[in-house]
Amino acid sequence: VAYMLYHVAQCPLFAPSREAYLRAARRVVDACLRYQEGGGEADADTRAAFLLGGAGVYAVAALVYRALGLPDFARPLGKFRELSEVCAPLSFLECGSDELFVGRAGYLCAALVLKQRLGMEVLTPAQIKSICLAILESGKQYAVKKRKPFPLMYSYYGTEYLGAAHGLSSILQMLLSYYEYLQPADQELVWQSVDFLMDQEQNCNWPPELGETIERENELVHWCHGAPGIAYLFAKAYLVSKKPKYLDTCIRCGELTWQKGLLKKGPGICHGVAGSAYVFLLLYRLTGNSKYIYRAQRFAEFLFTEEFKAGSRALESVYSLYEGFSGTVCFLTDLLQPNQAEFPLFSVFV
């Protein structure tokens, strides 16, 4: 909620309400900080989690405080930096240490957001290299242990996910986001793994986990699992390499989303309509083709139809960024400024 308020406040179209939104964001984030620093996390290791733990709280607090012009923004920034030591050990989480929501990829993603929004690198080169090396070594060891025919693989709670939420695609995306910190040999391992993942495509989509076959009754077209989330990896791969095959794959993701992305699981960005529609804003920024604006607008309109209201699943976390309306508000705001549009806290343009 705090990030949503911050995001709307940054949009020039809402300039008259900017201070009010930022003050509201501060109230929310201050409450989160009190919880975090009062021992709110039952598992100390999840302190470094971006989307489900302390790293995200400190990152958003730094953004909000900086936007308000408060010198206090340095304090949560310092707390964020300290968490790099938490995720340094190779297996610091038993469930899987590298994925986006709680693992190292998420921590690097948070640092990327801070770099973009604050205009400064918040981690030292040594810290970045250390975390990247841990991700690489973890992936190498797992791939060897499980005798994979490609160099990097990971699991989360024992499942070899491929999608953006917990899987291979977002981990590789973060490694590409810090490409200049990787040794040439490791860069090659990343590209081999990206190409392996591209080869797992089934009718313009990807199964939730490695080795599954997509059937009509179990196909997922979500940001968390499937083409709408994996598209961001191939967008980043294209931006780094300039190879058309990655952009072509990203475009195929968009075509599938246009055909099958009107979901019944709510309005959110994780597995909802707004998350699907963000792919079109991504493709607009990559290609400049206005048809993607049209498609994003049609998905936005669907959110307000009686058909959607009647058929959509009831939300458990109504106001959350990923499942609830906060993410939807971010999408609708970005629809007003498509040249700056980005999936919340998941940038490929840094």
Side-chain angles (χ1 to χ4, degrees):
V1 174
Y3 178 80
M4 176 271 291
L5 291 164
Y6 164 83
H7 184 70
V8 176
Q10 299 305 98
C11 178
L13 295 170
F14 296 98
S17 301
R18 182 178 187 273
E19 290 301 314
Y21 289 145
L22 288 175
R23 287 195 299 271
R26 184 185 181 183
R27 289 195 295 272
V28 175
V29 85
D30 282 351
C32 293
L33 284 171
R34 287 194 296 272
Y35 174 81
Q36 182 68 30
E37 295 174 354
E41 290 294 339
D43 185 349
D45 290 337
T46 61
R47 288 177 298 155
F50 180 29
L51 299 177
L52 295 178
V57 173
Y58 292 129
V60 174
L63 295 178
V64 172
Y65 289 1
R66 177 69 176 270
L68 282 166
L70 302 175
D72 285 357
F73 89 93
R75 189 177 68 85
L77 210 54
K79 293 282 189 179
F80 176 85
R81 288 192 188 100
E82 292 172 6
L83 294 176
S84 66
E85 297 179 7
V86 175
C87 57
L90 205 60
S91 300
F92 79 99
L93 289 174
E94 290 185 10
C95 60
S97 302
D98 301 288
E99 63 90 65
L100 186 71
F101 278 33
V102 299
R104 278 183 282 263
Y107 185 74
L108 285 181
C109 189
L112 204 63
V113 171
L114 289 168
K115 175 184 177 181
Q116 179 187 35
R117 298 286 186 160
L118 301 180
M120 56 188 285
E121 195 73 79
V122 299
L123 299 178
T124 67
Q127 287 173 318
I128 294 171
K129 287 179 182 178
S130 174
I131 296 170
C132 287
L133 284 172
I135 293 174
L136 288 161
E137 186 59 30
S138 175
K140 291 175 191 176
Q141 289 186 12
Y142 186 88
V144 169
K145 179 181 178 181
K146 298 295 183 178
R147 299 182 179 180
K148 299 299 180 185
F150 54 101
L152 300 173
M153 189 58 203
Y154 307 85
S155 70
Y156 184 59
Y157 283 104
T159 301
E160 295 172 344
Y161 289 111
L162 299 180
H166 308 298
L168 179 63
S169 68
S170 57
I171 297 171
L172 295 176
Q173 182 182 325
M174 288 308 114
L175 289 173
L176 288 178
S177 297
Y178 292 91
Y179 190 70
E180 67 272 22
Y181 291 94
L182 309 184
Q183 293 296 319
D186 288 329
Q187 291 175 349
E188 180 57 29
L189 295 182
V190 172
W191 288 121
Q192 289 175 19
S193 301
V194 170
D195 288 343
F196 173 83
L197 184 56
M198 188 164 62
D199 290 341
Q200 305 311 299
E201 180 183 337
Q202 300 177 30
N203 298 318
C204 303
N205 202 5
W206 283 259
E209 59 183 280
L210 184 64
E212 279 191 335
T213 300
I214 296 176
E215 305 290 349
R216 183 175 180 179
E217 62 272 12
N218 72 354
E219 184 171 18
L220 298 180
V221 186
H222 305 160
W223 172 83
C224 49
H225 300 294
I230 287 178
Y232 293 85
L233 165 64
F234 294 113
K236 189 65 187 181
Y238 171 69
L239 291 169
V240 173
S241 72
K242 304 303 180 186
K243 291 183 178 179
K245 66 178 181 178
Y246 297 125
L247 179 59
D248 292 343
T249 303
C250 198
I251 289 171
R252 289 198 300 277
C253 291
E255 291 303 312
L256 178 81
T257 305
W258 177 241
Q259 295 166 17
K260 299 183 177 181
L262 289 178
L263 306 174
K264 296 181 178 180
K265 294 185 177 181
I269 59 174
C270 184
H271 41 262
V273 174
S276 296
Y278 256 118
V279 177
F280 306 132
L281 296 179
L282 170 70
L283 285 165
Y284 172 71
R285 290 194 64 180
L286 290 173
T287 68
N289 191 329
S290 60
K291 80 174 182 181
Y292 295 117
I293 297 293
Y294 170 83
R295 291 181 174 186
Q297 289 171 339
R298 298 291 78 77
F299 272 48
E301 289 174 2
F302 181 70
L303 289 168
F304 297 94
T305 63
E306 291 303 319
E307 179 184 359
F308 174 75
K309 294 174 185 176
S312 179
R313 179 187 300 177
L315 300 178
E316 292 182 7
S317 303
V318 176
Y319 302 111
S320 81
L321 182 65
Y322 273 64
E323 184 187 8
F325 288 111
S326 290
T328 312
V329 171
C330 289
F331 162 65
L332 294 173
T333 302
D334 279 346
L335 197 54
L336 300 172
Q337 47 181 12
N339 290 320
Q340 288 82 44
E342 290 186 309
F343 193 97
L345 305 174
F346 199 58
S347 177
V348 300
F349 297 102
V350 185

